[in-house]
Amino acid sequence: MSRVILLLVVILVLPVVLFAQINWTKHTIESPYQFANDVFAIDLDDDNDVDIISPSFELDEVSWWENDGNENFAKHKIDSVCDGAGSVFAIDLDGDTDIDVLSTAFNAYDVAWYENDGSENFTKHMIDSSLISAVSVHAINIDGDNDIDVVAAAYYNNEIVWYENDGSENFTKHAIDDTFSVPWGIFAIDLNNDDEIDVLAASYYGDEIAWWENDGNENFTKHTIISNYGSARSVYAIDIDDDNDIDVLGTAFADSTVSWFENINNSFTEHAIDSSLTGASHVFAIDFNDDSDVDVAATGYYDNNVVWYENDGSENFTKHVIDSSFDGPNEVIGIDVDGDGDIDVVSSAQVADEVAWWESDLAGIEEDEKETAEGWKCGPTIFSGSLPIGKYKDCKIYDVCGRKVEAQALSPGIYFIEIEGKIKHKIIKIK
C-alpha cells in the first residue's frame, strides 16, 4: 500500500503539459529602480519560495525583494553605498546554511559579500576594494577545498581574477588573466570534465569568448572559443545537446547574435541561434517547455526584447517573444518564481528602470467541461489494470505530452479522455 501511495504522490505532482506555445504575463517587481543593472533569483530567506536580488547602478544600491509565497514582493535594502552597483550573485559563502549575497561596485572598485545572519540581516565584508571597474562576480569552489571562492572581472583593467577563501572568509587574490580586453560576463564550471573548475569570460572590446583551463593547482591556461564576435557580452555554460559534455552560450552585442558553441572534445564549434536580436545582451539556458531538452533565453538591449528559443531536441531553435517593450533589458534568468511547476522568467532593464518577472502558463491539457458526457461510463479517476471505458467506445485518449495512445497500452501515468472534441475526464493509472 505504501508503494501505491508514493506512486500516486509522484504522479500527482508531475506537470501536466502539452508542449505548445507558452503565454507570458508580466508582473513588475520594482519600478522605478534606476538603472537596474543585474538580477538574481534564489530562495534567500529559506521559506520555500523564490526571492529576487538586484543592484541599482544609479542609486548605488543592492536590494532584495521578499516573496510572500503569493508573488507579492517586499523590498529590503542590503547596501545603499555600493557606488555604481554592477553585478550580484547569491550563495552560501560561509557554510552556515543560509544564503549570502555578493556584489561589485563599478565606481568604487569593490568586490564585496554580505553575510546573512539567518534572519536576512546583512553585514558587508570587503573582498577587494581595488578591482578597477569591477563589473561581474561569480562564486564557486574553485580549488576543491570545500569552501566557496569568488571569481570577478574588471572592465577597464582587463582583469579576470579569483579570490581564494581560506575557509574563514579571508580572501587572497589570484590573477587568471590581466590582458583580456574589457571583460564583461563571467562564468565558472568544469568545462572539460576533469573535475576541476574552469573559468569562462566574454571580452567586450576584444570581441572574444574564452575559457581558462584549471590544471588542478589553479594555474589557468587560456583557450579562445571564438574571436571576431562583435562586442561579446554574456557567457553561460550547460550541456545543450545532451551528449554529456558542457557547451557554451554567448551573446555578441554589436553583432546582434546569440550563439551556442558545441563542445567537441574541448574544441568549440559555433552555431548561431539568432542573428537579429539587436543589442544581444544576456543569455541563459533551461528547459522552458518541459520537453526534456535545453532551451535558451536572451535579451535584446536595443530592440527591448526578452525572448526564448525553443529547442526541438535536435538543437534547431524557434524564437518566441516574451516581451517586446521592456526598455533596455540586460540580465535574464529562468526559474519557477510562483512554484507551479513551470519555468518563469526574471529580467532587469537599465532604460526602463525596472525589475520584472513573466509568469509562464505552460499550456496544459485541461478539461473543457466538468460535467460527465451523456453515456460516459468510465470508472474512477484513479485506476489500475485495464481502462474501464464501458459501452462508450467513441473516445480518444491522450498522454501528458498530447500524444494519442491506445486504451490497451496504458503504462502508469496521467491520461486525458476526449469525447466529441473536448477533454472530458482526467484519469490516473497507478499500475
Side-chain angles (χ1 to χ4, degrees):
M1 179 58 72
S2 61
R3 292 182 181 179
V4 172
I5 292 172
L6 177 60
L7 181 57
L8 277 174
V9 170
V10 171
I11 292 172
L12 287 170
V13 298
L14 287 173
V16 181
V17 294
L18 173 65
F19 306 123
Q21 178 66 43
I22 301 173
N23 297 306
W24 304 90
T25 302
K26 180 183 176 184
H27 304 276
T28 295
I29 295 171
E30 182 82 4
S31 179
Y33 189 61
Q34 284 82 354
F35 211 97
N37 210 36
D38 193 9
V39 72
F40 199 88
I42 196 170
D43 182 5
L44 192 60
D45 53 3
D46 194 28
D47 63 353
N48 298 314
D49 53 39
V50 174
D51 308 298
I52 307 297
I53 310 165
S54 182
S56 166
F57 187 88
E58 290 187 4
L59 296 176
D60 301 330
E61 181 179 308
V62 177
S63 292
W64 74 284
W65 287 264
E66 181 181 1
N67 184 350
D68 69 354
N70 294 305
E71 294 66 67
N72 301 305
F73 289 92
K75 181 180 178 181
H76 305 277
K77 288 185 182 181
I78 296 174
D79 190 354
S80 57
V81 290
C82 187
D83 189 6
S87 174
V88 290
F89 194 86
I91 195 171
D92 180 9
L93 193 64
D94 54 4
D96 63 354
T97 71
D98 53 39
I99 301 297
D100 309 297
V101 175
L102 297 105
S103 76
T104 60
F106 189 90
N107 297 330
Y109 305 166
D110 291 347
V111 179
W113 75 283
Y114 306 89
E115 181 180 1
N116 184 351
D117 69 355
S119 298
E120 293 65 65
N121 302 303
F122 291 93
T123 301
K124 185 174 183 177
H125 302 279
M126 197 61 63
I127 296 174
D128 191 349
S129 58
S130 61
L131 190 67
I132 297 173
S133 60
V135 67
S136 298
V137 66
H138 190 89
I140 194 170
N141 183 6
I142 290 282
D143 52 4
D145 63 354
N146 299 316
D147 54 40
I148 300 298
D149 308 298
V150 175
V151 186
Y155 187 86
Y156 286 126
N157 220 36
N158 304 327
E159 285 186 283
I160 307 292
V161 300
W162 76 282
Y163 301 93
E164 181 181 0
N165 185 351
D166 69 354
S168 298
E169 293 67 67
N170 302 303
F171 291 92
T172 302
K173 181 178 178 179
H174 302 278
I176 295 175
D177 197 319
D178 59 5
T179 62
F180 196 58
S181 183
V182 186
W184 198 307
I186 57 172
F187 197 81
I189 195 171
D190 179 8
L191 195 59
N192 58 347
N193 198 30
D194 64 353
D195 297 322
E196 307 293 342
I197 298 298
D198 310 300
V199 174
L200 286 146
S203 166
Y204 191 71
Y205 280 7
D207 303 330
E208 182 182 2
I209 291 177
W211 71 286
W212 288 261
E213 181 180 1
N214 183 352
D215 70 354
N217 294 305
E218 292 66 65
N219 302 304
F220 290 92
T221 301
K222 180 183 175 184
H223 304 278
T224 295
I225 292 174
I226 190 170
S227 55
N228 299 315
Y229 195 62
S231 301
R233 183 154 167 171
S234 176
V235 67
Y236 193 79
I238 194 172
D239 184 4
I240 288 283
D241 52 3
D242 195 29
D243 63 352
N244 298 313
D245 55 33
I246 300 297
D247 307 298
V248 173
L249 294 111
T251 59
F253 190 83
D255 290 345
S256 302
T257 299
V258 180
S259 305
W260 76 282
F261 302 89
E262 183 179 3
N263 186 346
I264 304 173
N265 298 320
N266 304 320
S267 295
F268 293 87
T269 300
E270 182 190 10
H271 303 278
I273 295 174
D274 189 352
S275 300
S276 61
L277 188 66
T278 309
S281 184
H282 281 262
V283 67
F284 188 87
I286 197 169
D287 183 2
F288 280 104
N289 57 347
D290 200 30
D291 62 352
S292 301
D293 53 41
V294 176
D295 309 300
V296 175
T299 53
Y301 187 87
Y302 288 126
D303 62 11
N304 306 325
N305 271 351
V306 180
V307 301
W308 75 284
Y309 303 94
E310 181 180 0
N311 184 353
D312 69 354
S314 299
E315 293 67 65
N316 302 302
F317 290 92
T318 300
K319 182 177 181 178
H320 303 280
V321 175
I322 297 171
D323 195 322
S324 60
S325 58
F326 196 53
D327 199 1
N330 40 46
E331 188 67 53
V332 62
I333 293 172
I335 192 169
D336 183 6
V337 173
D338 52 4
D340 64 352
D342 55 36
I343 300 298
D344 309 299
V345 168
V346 185
S347 185
S348 53
Q350 292 177 343
V351 180
D353 298 330
E354 187 174 357
V355 179
W357 72 284
W358 288 260
E359 181 180 357
S360 167
D361 74 343
L362 188 54
I365 306 177
E366 297 181 355
E367 295 177 61
D368 296 310
E369 296 181 7
K370 301 299 183 184
E371 297 80 9
T372 302
E374 182 179 355
W376 176 239
K377 301 297 183 183
C378 184
T381 297
I382 299 172
F383 72 101
S384 61
S386 60
L387 176 62
I389 59 175
K391 297 180 180 178
Y392 206 100
K393 306 292 186 182
D394 187 17
C395 66
K396 297 177 182 177
I397 304 169
Y398 297 91
D399 65 14
V400 295
C401 298
R403 296 180 292 243
K404 185 179 176 182
V405 294
E406 298 299 324
Q408 297 82 8
L410 300 185
S411 301
I414 301 174
Y415 299 91
F416 296 82
I417 310 267
E418 179 189 282
I419 303 169
E420 297 175 354
K422 293 185 177 182
I423 300 297
K424 298 283 187 179
H425 198 61
K426 178 170 69 176
I427 54 175
I428 302 172
K429 181 175 181 178
I430 61 173
K431 64 179 181 178

